[in-house]
Amino acid sequence: MLITRECDYALRLVRNLSTDDVTSISKIAKAEQISNAIAYKVAGKLEKGGLIESERGNRGGYHLTRGADKISILDVYRIMEPNGAINECLKSGADCPLNKGYKPCAVHHEL
């Protein structure tokens, strides 16, 4: 599975925000060699998804809504690719033959 470029940018943005400091999107865009327009678009999706918040003002910027240790790659993926699935059996309505109530599939649960 390959993640999209936009999802890659989102992961980079989250990584850059893993400090306790409020950071501007332009600073992250420069560090990651991403255009400001794309960085703002990605930040908007992450903010709407609840992973980051913006602060207005002279010292404004963005910060994570929770510690980086509480954010998984899957959290970012689900925001950036809301209709994506890591595996066919994880798609809505799919019937995974290994994920039955009496003996749930451990891998299915972890994914």
Side-chain angles (χ1 to χ4, degrees):
M1 172 189 104
L2 292 174
I3 61 171
T4 63
R5 187 176 308 248
E6 189 177 48
C7 190
D8 175 53
Y9 292 159
L11 291 168
R12 293 168 186 251
L13 200 137
V14 168
R15 185 192 67 220
N16 272 273
L17 292 173
S18 64
T19 67
D20 290 334
D21 299 330
V22 174
T23 308
S24 72
I25 291 299
S26 58
K27 183 177 177 183
I28 295 171
K30 184 176 181 180
E32 294 295 334
Q33 299 179 356
I34 304 169
S35 74
N36 279 347
I38 297 294
Y40 276 107
K41 178 182 174 185
V42 169
K45 287 184 177 184
L46 292 172
E47 186 172 22
K48 186 176 179 181
L51 284 186
I52 67 173
E53 288 180 333
S54 62
E55 290 188 23
R56 309 256 183 246
N58 285 346
R59 295 182 179 230
Y62 288 84
H63 63 89
L64 297 177
T65 57
R66 57 186 183 262
D69 61 331
K70 303 287 187 217
I71 297 173
S72 70
I73 292 171
L74 184 58
D75 293 332
V76 176
Y77 179 78
R78 284 183 173 155
I79 290 169
M80 301 309 293
E81 303 293 330
N83 297 320
I86 293 173
N87 193 340
E88 286 292 320
C89 72
L90 296 177
K91 288 184 178 178
S92 179
D95 181 34
C96 177
L98 299 176
N99 194 30
K100 300 297 179 195
Y102 61 91
K103 186 178 178 188
C105 172
V107 173
H108 184 101
H109 174 72
E110 290 299 317
L111 291 174

